[in-house]
Amino acid sequence: MSVTRHYEREFVRTFFTSPTAVDGEDDSAKMLRSAGQLRGLQAPDVWVPDNEDATAPNMRDEGVENIIDVVANQGAEFPGEIHPRVVWHRESPTTRYQGFQQMLEITDPENGAVEHIDGFVIPEVGDIDDWKKADEFFTIIENEHGLEEGSLSMSVIVESGEAELAMGDLRDEMGKPSNNLERMFLLVDGEVDYTKDMRAMTPTGELPPWPELRHNTSRGASAAGLIAVDGPYDDIRDVEGYRERMKDNRAKGMTGIWSLTPGQVVEANTAPLPPKTGSWLLEAGGQEVELEAQDGKQVYDGDDLSLEADGDGGYVLQAGGERLELDEDELTEELLDRTAYIPSMNDIVDSMEEFEAAKEAGKGAIAMTQAATLVIDGVEVDISKDRMWDEATYQAAQTPITLFQDVYEHRPDQHEELEEMYGADIVERAAAVGN
Amino acid sequence: MSVTRHYEREFVRTFFTSPTAVDGEDDSAKMLRSAGQLRGLQAPDVWVPDNEDATAPNMRDEGVENIIDVVANQGAEFPGEIHPRVVWHRESPTTRYQGFQQMLEITDPENGAVEHIDGFVIPEVGDIDDWKKADEFFTIIENEHGLEEGSLSMSVIVESGEAELAMGDLRDEMGKPSNNLERMFLLVDGEVDYTKDMRAMTPTGELPPWPELRHNTSRGASAAGLIAVDGPYDDIRDVEGYRERMKDNRAKGMTGIWSLTPGQVVEANTAPLPPKTGSWLLEAGGQEVELEAQDGKQVYDGDDLSLEADGDGGYVLQAGGERLELDEDELTEELLDRTAYIPSMNDIVDSMEEFEAAKEAGKGAIAMTQAATLVIDGVEVDISKDRMWDEATYQAAQTPITLFQDVYEHRPDQHEELEEMYGADIVERAAAVGN
Amino acid sequence: MSVTRHYEREFVRTFFTSPTAVDGEDDSAKMLRSAGQLRGLQAPDVWVPDNEDATAPNMRDEGVENIIDVVANQGAEFPGEIHPRVVWHRESPTTRYQGFQQMLEITDPENGAVEHIDGFVIPEVGDIDDWKKADEFFTIIENEHGLEEGSLSMSVIVESGEAELAMGDLRDEMGKPSNNLERMFLLVDGEVDYTKDMRAMTPTGELPPWPELRHNTSRGASAAGLIAVDGPYDDIRDVEGYRERMKDNRAKGMTGIWSLTPGQVVEANTAPLPPKTGSWLLEAGGQEVELEAQDGKQVYDGDDLSLEADGDGGYVLQAGGERLELDEDELTEELLDRTAYIPSMNDIVDSMEEFEAAKEAGKGAIAMTQAATLVIDGVEVDISKDRMWDEATYQAAQTPITLFQDVYEHRPDQHEELEEMYGADIVERAAAVGN
């Protein structure tokens, strides 16, 4: 069996939750209504009217009505997919039955919302048999309401050790005749409750980083043809921290992340796309520092590295208490080792087009060159980095482009902002390359 | 099935091994006798008379007699649980049969020790079928000696790749009618033999950190309702290193650790409890530095951060070669980003009580404020951190309190020391909050 | 069942791939022929004529002929094992059938190569059922060609999430009557395609470190009695980076690594062997710095630590902005905490011999002492480190020696270089100790 994705979107960047009913407001659905009006980069790939943790238990019946009302009225225009979260708990049949009832009501064709509902998010799942219980309710609902079997997607929140283990069983269980687990869509980590379930503690109360959980989620998604999404990043003010987390996630193959505010949605919709402008990194003081581009030169202005010419054609480079006396070639070599280049969208598209042309001409590999003038303590050094591009490089470089093309295809509401960001020409070429 | 813990203690902080028979002493049981007299913070939650690696092979028959003698005489008074370790090896039927005979003898009701024996520790287990072989011996022993089936706990030392994998199968296998694996209690990592089994090498011969093993052990314990315990920390002099390891373990949900000396027992019994006094952390030089409290102010006296007022109401903050010119609000913001607070036992209890009162009054979330005056290079800055407490925060904060209450309930011999540590009032409130 | 290794070599340090047919050369087998002539430290433990990614698709038929030609003529003299890589893909029956045909042809006894072929490498495997498909082809080939069933080893490249999960199932599946998976030999990570399969991205396009994958590969190998090998390290110029990666791998129990050039083969054949000379590490500036041996003293010449005598028998040690005033004993203590010793081959053999003698004399543990004179800012301090050696220490220390002995037994072509490296006396003692 090949890994087939049973849904339209290949990537999900953003998973945005909204409370379904807030007490004390004139209109308890106010937040839901305003979220349903988001467009462009502020609108998530997956919108989650959240009838579980974001909504007080005594407001959840009203939440179901609000979901129906808002989705029936605004769902047709909403640019992303819509997957409400209902209640569920691996250890409580009461909660599971409530979740079933919520889904049954929301999808009742007479209520007019179901045609805009893409699926549901099931929290607090346990082992794979618990996932099957939820799947069976989806099947019964589809049958009762005359929907096509398997047409509603199921996403789960992984917030227990059992669920983490279940992700290793999923591929084996999908496709068995007695379930419809092919409906699976997102594997979403829920680190707050996972931390509680694992009984983990940190001195300040902040969440542990859980790198192994995120790896296992990403691997589980890869093996079963699903999409991995990281949990909420609570410190909404900390944009830098949110970006760092997403970068770390992408290196694990986890492209999506939970967003709590439209501001986080913009960040998370943008972060996985290649940058408009390329930039150079220099290793200094044990870190990779991004150089500042000034008049086409790359300037380092930190204190962890110093360079001077000795007047005799030689150089003295000082770094981390080490002092190196180098001739020009050695200096170039040393700086080549210490630098890396982050390619822009334009660079990636250029290289892919060049490689495709070369391949058509019967060549299996080509060298791509990236040149720069570095400036350290006023001393200028020209460096030039070659990288071989073969089929494997080409395919690896394709991931961000495939993501871009997926966005471009499914999110026409973002075209204008993408063109503002990159220029219309690059957007057009990026949308076409490799096809 | 809900995850049910089949034992009294919910947490085990300490797993303390003693040799069962030492050659060349007048009384070969001397160490066993003295360990059996430990009380209070020096006494472990789980005491392990160790008839395996800590005892020479030719002394193990005598070790069995010593266990019987000491446990029969001192077991009734010992404040922790008693789980002797017997011999076992996944690759040796001889060793497995010896382990069976040792257990059979120790639990013989005529010997008078069994009523104080809570279970046994089985080292060097292999895959799950090997765990079942040990479990079957427990069942036979219980049957032979007229003990209730399942009454003896089984703990294992995970020191092979097979055993690490088996922890992923355990939840599925427990509860099958042909075994009594519900008797499982502790999953204990044994990094020395695990390193040998994995054929891992480090230049200096020190043990690799094995973060994935510890994650998998903690997850396996969580999924099967067991308790995860880390292996021995050999460098007994290195108290700071032992504490760092335990902090890292707790962030993985692994609360327990092996202790080799009564001194390590004290450290490990104390480390997972919230501190008596709260403290502030400041990010400086890439690290989190604990600030020194002086006259109610939080003083930073390192070199990695410098601050001065420019006389015009502005400030200059220098950090890591970076120089920031900030007005007062920007400075406060910057320092807020760089600080974190470690709450005291008192803080946690206060917040929980406040949240409980708010919940009773119908409020779902409240803001808790933590304020401090920071002093950097003599410049004073007031900061104030708000944190929202909702049901999830409340429950996450509960882990250390639940641990404390578990200790308080099962270890009356530690009450006096806990009261000395925190004051009787805090102990009383912490023991009551949330119940 | 005990973990039994079904192959001769216990360790594989090097996995060296060569293109099987290069277009545009007079002799398309030129690289294959020259690789087949490698000897000594330049020759890998496992040589992989690579009829997959290293060879252009339209050259692979010629590649099969070249493999047969070169292995038939040079195979008898080649000092390592020979395992060609054929094409395979979990999602393409066409590719799988091509792989079968390639293996069938290479092993045809009439072609004269099969007696020097130790097995095949199967890339792009999926879940365990996919591994069984490949295994079945091996069985059919052995049967067709009159070879002993199970005589051809099978190694796989792990480059998908499914394959990573399959390593957890392998031990359970080996030994089932309907397969011959006992033929499994190497588990090799393929991070380039794994990164693509996981859809992971890094800003600069460099590969993510994938620590969890490497752990799981090492564990899978350990549990099934196989050997774990890391993937290619692309930056051939970066010898230091290659060494760091191998050190990190060894701490995970992964001893082998892919080599792309004879230069990398030398590095990777040498790296896991103990050093000729011991050395001291000093913790300074958050790192472990290797001290320079000068006239038998260990000299630190960095800037992160400074030491001066105060003239009154006391000392001032400055480190990381901290200033410590210490008497002589405190200074010694502090430096002991900050130092570690990397034992030489000679040190390890000495300690093992000493411990063996002690054991024979009835002692279970002995203290080994390592002394040094440290020089910091011209101030000399004598330190002396004791380490207890018991059975467990002995066995853990044995891993590098077992590796050495495995090399010594199976690679007589490296004896001369090993003797040059260590001296004939040490080589002889290291080859004999513990046996």
Side-chain angles (χ1 to χ4, degrees), chain A residues 232-245:
Chain A
Y233 191 84
D234 273 342
D235 191 348
I236 291 163
R237 296 182 334 152
D238 182 11
V239 177
E240 207 40 63
Y242 193 50
R243 285 186 191 144
E244 278 303 309
R245 177 63 169 225

mmCIF file of all heavy atoms in Angstrom, chain A residues 232-245:
data_model
loop_
_atom_site.group_PDB
_atom_site.id
_atom_site.type_symbol
_atom_site.label_atom_id
_atom_site.label_comp_id
_atom_site.label_asym_id
_atom_site.label_seq_id
_atom_site.Cartn_x
_atom_site.Cartn_y
_atom_site.Cartn_z
ATOM 1 N N PRO A 232 -0.662 24.413 21.236
ATOM 2 C CA PRO A 232 -0.688 25.870 21.420
ATOM 3 C C PRO A 232 0.600 26.412 22.036
ATOM 4 O O PRO A 232 1.233 25.762 22.856
ATOM 5 C CB PRO A 232 -1.863 26.085 22.371
ATOM 6 C CG PRO A 232 -2.171 24.769 22.981
ATOM 7 C CD PRO A 232 -1.664 23.718 22.060
ATOM 8 N N TYR A 233 0.962 27.624 21.601
ATOM 9 C CA TYR A 233 2.087 28.354 22.192
ATOM 10 C C TYR A 233 1.475 29.484 23.006
ATOM 11 O O TYR A 233 0.984 30.466 22.462
ATOM 12 C CB TYR A 233 2.987 28.892 21.076
ATOM 13 C CG TYR A 233 4.307 29.424 21.563
ATOM 14 C CD1 TYR A 233 5.366 28.552 21.780
ATOM 15 C CD2 TYR A 233 4.485 30.773 21.819
ATOM 16 C CE1 TYR A 233 6.593 29.020 22.222
ATOM 17 C CE2 TYR A 233 5.713 31.248 22.273
ATOM 18 C CZ TYR A 233 6.755 30.374 22.472
ATOM 19 O OH TYR A 233 7.971 30.841 22.914
ATOM 20 N N ASP A 234 1.493 29.297 24.330
ATOM 21 C CA ASP A 234 0.700 30.142 25.212
ATOM 22 C C ASP A 234 1.132 31.598 25.273
ATOM 23 O O ASP A 234 0.303 32.489 25.427
ATOM 24 C CB ASP A 234 0.749 29.583 26.648
ATOM 25 C CG ASP A 234 -0.330 28.541 26.864
ATOM 26 O OD1 ASP A 234 -1.282 28.513 26.066
ATOM 27 O OD2 ASP A 234 -0.211 27.756 27.818
ATOM 28 N N ASP A 235 2.436 31.838 25.212
ATOM 29 C CA ASP A 235 2.917 33.194 25.421
ATOM 30 C C ASP A 235 2.731 34.004 24.134
ATOM 31 O O ASP A 235 3.629 34.130 23.304
ATOM 32 C CB ASP A 235 4.388 33.156 25.830
ATOM 33 C CG ASP A 235 4.873 34.511 26.310
ATOM 34 O OD1 ASP A 235 4.141 35.513 26.117
ATOM 35 O OD2 ASP A 235 5.964 34.583 26.877
ATOM 36 N N ILE A 236 1.527 34.580 24.015
ATOM 37 C CA ILE A 236 1.116 35.200 22.753
ATOM 38 C C ILE A 236 2.002 36.384 22.377
ATOM 39 O O ILE A 236 2.261 36.650 21.213
ATOM 40 C CB ILE A 236 -0.368 35.634 22.867
ATOM 41 C CG1 ILE A 236 -1.240 34.373 22.910
ATOM 42 C CG2 ILE A 236 -0.785 36.497 21.698
ATOM 43 C CD1 ILE A 236 -2.630 34.654 23.420
ATOM 44 N N ARG A 237 2.534 37.090 23.405
ATOM 45 C CA ARG A 237 3.410 38.228 23.140
ATOM 46 C C ARG A 237 4.744 37.818 22.526
ATOM 47 O O ARG A 237 5.424 38.617 21.895
ATOM 48 C CB ARG A 237 3.723 38.956 24.457
ATOM 49 C CG ARG A 237 2.545 39.599 25.146
ATOM 50 C CD ARG A 237 3.027 40.312 26.410
ATOM 51 N NE ARG A 237 4.261 39.673 26.907
ATOM 52 C CZ ARG A 237 5.196 40.279 27.601
ATOM 53 N NH1 ARG A 237 5.071 41.549 27.896
ATOM 54 N NH2 ARG A 237 6.264 39.630 28.030
ATOM 55 N N ASP A 238 5.140 36.565 22.758
ATOM 56 C CA ASP A 238 6.496 36.139 22.408
ATOM 57 C C ASP A 238 6.560 35.611 20.968
ATOM 58 O O ASP A 238 6.638 34.413 20.724
ATOM 59 C CB ASP A 238 6.952 35.064 23.410
ATOM 60 C CG ASP A 238 8.365 34.600 23.132
ATOM 61 O OD1 ASP A 238 9.065 35.246 22.321
ATOM 62 O OD2 ASP A 238 8.766 33.580 23.717
ATOM 63 N N VAL A 239 6.559 36.556 20.011
ATOM 64 C CA VAL A 239 6.560 36.192 18.591
ATOM 65 C C VAL A 239 7.841 35.454 18.218
ATOM 66 O O VAL A 239 7.834 34.466 17.482
ATOM 67 C CB VAL A 239 6.392 37.453 17.719
ATOM 68 C CG1 VAL A 239 6.467 37.098 16.247
ATOM 69 C CG2 VAL A 239 5.067 38.130 18.039
ATOM 70 N N GLU A 240 8.973 35.921 18.773
ATOM 71 C CA GLU A 240 10.262 35.299 18.469
ATOM 72 C C GLU A 240 10.274 33.832 18.907
ATOM 73 O O GLU A 240 10.743 32.951 18.194
ATOM 74 C CB GLU A 240 11.373 36.097 19.168
ATOM 75 C CG GLU A 240 12.711 36.022 18.481
ATOM 76 C CD GLU A 240 12.579 36.091 16.972
ATOM 77 O OE1 GLU A 240 12.103 37.106 16.416
ATOM 78 O OE2 GLU A 240 12.928 35.089 16.326
ATOM 79 N N GLY A 241 9.750 33.592 20.107
ATOM 80 C CA GLY A 241 9.690 32.231 20.620
ATOM 81 C C GLY A 241 8.796 31.339 19.771
ATOM 82 O O GLY A 241 9.116 30.175 19.533
ATOM 83 N N TYR A 242 7.685 31.901 19.315
ATOM 84 C CA TYR A 242 6.755 31.151 18.446
ATOM 85 C C TYR A 242 7.457 30.763 17.146
ATOM 86 O O TYR A 242 7.370 29.626 16.691
ATOM 87 C CB TYR A 242 5.546 32.042 18.163
ATOM 88 C CG TYR A 242 4.317 31.392 17.544
ATOM 89 C CD1 TYR A 242 3.759 30.236 18.071
ATOM 90 C CD2 TYR A 242 3.685 31.987 16.449
ATOM 91 C CE1 TYR A 242 2.606 29.678 17.514
ATOM 92 C CE2 TYR A 242 2.531 31.445 15.893
ATOM 93 C CZ TYR A 242 2.002 30.286 16.427
ATOM 94 O OH TYR A 242 0.864 29.744 15.876
ATOM 95 N N ARG A 243 8.227 31.712 16.576
ATOM 96 C CA ARG A 243 8.964 31.422 15.343
ATOM 97 C C ARG A 243 10.030 30.352 15.549
ATOM 98 O O ARG A 243 10.210 29.474 14.714
ATOM 99 C CB ARG A 243 9.640 32.706 14.830
ATOM 100 C CG ARG A 243 8.672 33.663 14.183
ATOM 101 C CD ARG A 243 9.413 34.844 13.566
ATOM 102 N NE ARG A 243 8.475 35.887 13.179
ATOM 103 C CZ ARG A 243 8.721 37.200 13.266
ATOM 104 N NH1 ARG A 243 9.899 37.629 13.720
ATOM 105 N NH2 ARG A 243 7.807 38.065 12.885
ATOM 106 N N GLU A 244 10.729 30.440 16.666
ATOM 107 C CA GLU A 244 11.752 29.435 16.960
ATOM 108 C C GLU A 244 11.134 28.050 17.067
ATOM 109 O O GLU A 244 11.666 27.062 16.574
ATOM 110 C CB GLU A 244 12.475 29.766 18.280
ATOM 111 C CG GLU A 244 13.584 30.778 18.157
ATOM 112 C CD GLU A 244 14.653 30.356 17.145
ATOM 113 O OE1 GLU A 244 15.143 29.220 17.251
ATOM 114 O OE2 GLU A 244 14.976 31.156 16.246
ATOM 115 N N ARG A 245 9.985 27.991 17.742
ATOM 116 C CA ARG A 245 9.308 26.712 17.897
ATOM 117 C C ARG A 245 8.906 26.141 16.540
ATOM 118 O O ARG A 245 9.072 24.944 16.278
ATOM 119 C CB ARG A 245 8.065 26.899 18.778
ATOM 120 C CG ARG A 245 7.213 25.669 18.968
ATOM 121 C CD ARG A 245 7.978 24.552 19.689
ATOM 122 N NE ARG A 245 7.080 23.502 20.075
ATOM 123 C CZ ARG A 245 7.061 22.911 21.258
ATOM 124 N NH1 ARG A 245 7.939 23.249 22.173
ATOM 125 N NH2 ARG A 245 6.204 21.963 21.539
#
